[in-house]
Amino acid sequence: MLTLHNYWSSVCSQKVRICLAEKGLAFENRHVNLFEFDHWRPEYLKMNPKAVVPALDHDGRIVVESNVILEYLEDCFPQVRLRPEDAYAKTQMRLWLFNSEEIAHENVNTCSYNPRHAARHRAKGHTSDDLKRMAAGCPNPVIRNRLLHRAAFGVTDAEENQAYEALDFLLDNMEQTLGRGPWLAGAEYSLADIAMAPFINRIEVLKRPEMVEAARRPNLAQWWQRIQARPAYQQALAVKNPDTSDPMQR
Ligand SMILES: N[C@@H](CCC(=O)N[C@@H](CS)C(=O)NCC(=O)O)C(=O)O
């Protein structure tokens, strides 16, 4: 049995849900409300001591880190193949898994803070002092210190601009890569496309659609149309926010 502990709009969770849908795998969807700090509760920390989502429970074995989960699902359920067999194509797939973690996640997180995460904290009535007090209870020093910094200063314009600059650089790289495509690892749709898709969605949700417009990045725009047409993508992204008090429903 597969149980996915995840948050409806988390990009790392969406990656895993797309992969599960592509493989046609049934799973129990357990919502971990990041804005109620469910991910800092002792039961959750036993599964993922880093205090982040997602975590996959496969018959009692816990797997964390979204890219590790993707490869685990591929190894356990290879019937629908999402990893190329060719050695070079495999390196390209892994390169994009790495890019999704190193560049996309970090910077999309920064760009999401002011318009999305801070707005949610405000809607929940969390003041800056509440956040600082809550942050003290987070066992992961990276997350704790980031939240403390953001509770005090938010994300500054300079930080946000730098994050968008890094994303632009990554999207240029995607545009070039997809020129040789049609997919990120080459001829075959793979975990690489799955790992990047939620970030392109978030960039659109953040109202920066010009970053993925055909006039600017035609290869990326075509790839994005193909991704959005996939039933697995639609299924994975259709998960609704169970927290109806949250102002963010997309
Ligand atoms: N490298 C991790 C990153 C996980 C991560 O940071 N997840 C975010 C949501 S996309 C999270 O749980 N954030 C909680 C927080 O910042 O408090 C992965 O890919 O699974």
Side-chain angles (χ1 to χ4, degrees), residues 122-138:
R122 274 198 302 279
K124 294 238 170 250
H126 299 154
T127 64
S128 170
D129 283 344
D130 290 335
L131 291 180
K132 287 181 196 159
R133 207 176 38 253
M134 288 301 292
C138 176

Side-chain angles (χ1 to χ4, degrees), residues 7 9-16 32 34-35 37 39-40 44 48 50-55 64-69 97 100-102 105 108-109 117 121 138 140 142-144 146-147 150 199 202:
Y7 182 70
S9 69
S10 126
V11 276
C12 305
S13 303
Q14 289 167 341
K15 276 187 203 180
V16 176
V32 178
L34 301 182
F35 294 87
F37 301 100
H39 56 318
W40 297 0
Y44 187 77
N48 192 342
K50 286 189 189 166
V52 289
V53 292
V64 296
E65 281 297 330
S66 57
N67 290 338
V68 175
I69 298 174
L97 294 186
S100 79
E101 172 65 25
E102 186 199 39
H105 184 245
V108 153
N109 182 289
H117 305 169
H121 284 306
C138 176
N140 179 340
V142 177
I143 305 276
R144 184 196 321 130
R146 190 175 69 191
L147 186 58
R150 289 178 177 175
F199 296 102
R202 177 60 60 80

Side-chain angles (χ1 to χ4, degrees), residues 106-194:
E106 178 65 24
N107 291 296
V108 153
N109 182 289
T110 301
C111 296
S112 300
Y113 188 77
N114 290 334
R116 292 176 67 81
H117 305 169
R120 284 167 154 148
H121 284 306
R122 274 198 302 279
K124 294 238 170 250
H126 299 154
T127 64
S128 170
D129 283 344
D130 290 335
L131 291 180
K132 287 181 196 159
R133 207 176 38 253
M134 288 301 292
C138 176
N140 179 340
V142 177
I143 305 276
R144 184 196 321 130
N145 293 327
R146 190 175 69 191
L147 186 58
L148 283 171
H149 178 80
R150 289 178 177 175
F153 309 108
V155 164
T156 64
D157 287 350
E159 285 168 335
E160 193 171 289
N161 289 339
Q162 280 173 18
Y164 273 117
E165 200 185 342
L167 290 173
D168 253 325
F169 167 75
L170 184 67
L171 296 189
D172 282 343
N173 191 344
M174 266 182 100
E175 174 66 13
Q176 264 189 352
T177 304
L178 290 167
R180 303 185 291 271
W183 302 106
L184 284 168
E188 290 174 50
Y189 173 81
S190 75
L191 297 179
D193 305 289
I194 292 176

